């Protein structure tokens, strides 16, 4: 078997039986869509959607100095995360460039699970392993130990309650607790990447199909449908959530991305990138570089990643992500633009789509925020 052959999740045969259109994503064969990506998107916004996210990279960090290692290796203050809680953070290079954005779960006093993006899992694993030198902590590659299933949307709490005895009402956003789902052990996390309420379930790969089928049986009457990566992208775009390789890269610091809040300078000790990020914070405060904004098209043509943003005949930025928005009914994009053109309502801004400047409205992110 070629080393370039795509990897398959534990649910691969099930996706194919459901008629999924499969695509290569970060070396994994993943479902792009099952039917209409627009219908899948709308189901998550109004009812519920079921996602296979088993391509994500789980890395376990254990030991008496696990928290100290993570505080050194990452930009966030991981030592202050309570047991059973989770935190969004980033891992940066020494020069402040973003290697990946992460969610870190504190599973026990001296045990953490770091969840990396599929495309960066090996990079993050290697960086954490290298940065562990001198710490009484162990970094373990647990990518093969978990399948990850997400149920997202306003109906998701009711659907999950039907197949678990866990206290979902007491489970806060960005928290996780061990429980049983469909009779099998799971880590149940109230996290997601859609802008909706929802849960991510870490289970053994051998149990994945049982959990998927139980959720499908419980959720189908409530309107739950299986969802692929295509609608996951439009959902996160509407919610203004960054995607690595688009809004986040090694060429950008968290401050460039408008996410400087994740960098915790006040924590004890040094951390990788501290000096460079201190400079980046000062730069962003005095002369902000390009700013990440939302763009809503006035016409029907769709702005795509890499398209120039223009004003007064000059290039003032670049689109990082763009797609038709099922919720707004118009094409939308995220883009980095010069600070002078970043204020919501700025006029005269367009996107160069195949040589023609198409007018766009500058708006603040996110495009969509759910009503609680």
């Amino acid at each position: 078997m070629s080393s370039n052959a795509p990897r398959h999740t534990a649910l691969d045969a099930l996706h194919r039986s459901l008629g999924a259109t499969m695509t290569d994503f970060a070396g994994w064969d993943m479902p792009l869509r099952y039917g209409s990506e627009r219908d899948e998107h709308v189901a998550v916004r109004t009812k519920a959607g079921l996602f296979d996210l088993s391509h994500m990279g789980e890395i376990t960090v254990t030991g008496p100095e696990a928290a100290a290692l993570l505080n050194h290796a990452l930009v966030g203050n991981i030592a202050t995360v309570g047991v059973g809680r989770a935190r969004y953070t980033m891992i940066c290079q020494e020069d402040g460039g973003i290697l990946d954005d992460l969610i870190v779960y504190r599973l026990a006093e001296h045990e953490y699970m770091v969840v990396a993006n599929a495309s960066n899992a090996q990079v993050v694993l290697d960086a954490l392993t290298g940065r562990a030198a001198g710490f009484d902590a162990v970094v373990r590659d647990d990518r093969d130990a978990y399948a990850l299933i997400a149920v997202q949307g306003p109906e998701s709490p009711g659907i999950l309650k039907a197949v678990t005895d866990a206290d979902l009402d007491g489970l806060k956003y960005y928290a996780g607790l061990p429980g049983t789902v469909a009779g099998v052990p799971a880590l149940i996390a109230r996290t997601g990447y859609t802008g909706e309420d929802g849960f991510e379930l870490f289970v053994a790969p051998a149990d994945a199909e049982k959990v998927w089928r139980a959720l499908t049986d419980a959720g189908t009457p409530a309107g739950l449908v299986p969802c692929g990566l295509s609608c996951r992208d439009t959902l996160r775009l509407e919610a203004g959530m960054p995607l690595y390789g688009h809004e986040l890269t090694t060429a950008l610091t968290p401050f460039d991305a408008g996410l400087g809040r994740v960098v915790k300078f006040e924590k004890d000790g040094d951390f990788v990138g501290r000096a460079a990020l201190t400079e980046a914070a000062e730069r962003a405060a005095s002369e902000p570089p390009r700013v990440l904004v939302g763009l809503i098209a006035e016409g029907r043509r769709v702005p795509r990643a890499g398209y120039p943003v223009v004003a007064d005949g000059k290039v003032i930025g670049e689109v990082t992500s763009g797609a038709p928005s099922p919720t707004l009914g118009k094409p939308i994009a995220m883009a980095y633009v010069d600070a002078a053109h970043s204020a919501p309502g700025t006029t005269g801004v367009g996107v160069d789509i195949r040589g023609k400047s198409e007018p766009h409205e500058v708006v603040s992110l996110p495009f969509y925020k759910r009503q609680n």
Side-chain angles (χ1 to χ4, degrees), residues 11 181-184 206-215:
L11 295 166
V181 177
V184 304
D207 294 330
E209 190 167 328
K210 182 178 183 182
V211 170
W212 180 282
R213 291 190 186 279
L215 288 165

Side-chain angles (χ1 to χ4, degrees), residues 61-66 106 108-112:
V61 181
T62 55
E65 294 185 340
R106 189 170 194 170
E109 185 66 25
H110 300 302
E111 182 181 4
Y112 296 80

Side-chain angles (χ1 to χ4, degrees), residues 30 45 94-95 148 194 230 272 287 295 304-305 326 349 354 362:
M30 298 296 294
R45 286 276 177 261
E94 199 67 68
D95 67 1
L148 178 56
T194 62
S230 186
V272 177
E287 42 164 337
L295 299 174
R304 298 292 186 187
V349 172
R354 297 186 193 89
V362 179

Side-chain angles (χ1 to χ4, degrees), residues 262-274:
V262 305
V263 182
K264 303 301 182 187
F265 293 115
E266 71 276 10
K267 64 180 174 177
D268 293 337
D270 197 15
F271 62 90
V272 177
R274 182 190 273 272

Side-chain angles (χ1 to χ4, degrees), residues 260-312:
R261 64 181 182 276
V262 305
V263 182
K264 303 301 182 187
F265 293 115
E266 71 276 10
K267 64 180 174 177
D268 293 337
D270 197 15
F271 62 90
V272 177
R274 182 190 273 272
L277 289 168
T278 301
E279 289 179 20
E282 290 165 357
R283 259 197 325 272
S286 60
E287 42 164 337
R290 286 183 168 175
V291 177
L292 189 65
V293 301
L295 299 174
I296 300 178
E298 293 180 14
R300 308 304 307 168
R301 299 181 79 189
V302 179
R304 298 292 186 187
Y307 286 9
V309 182
V310 294
D312 305 320

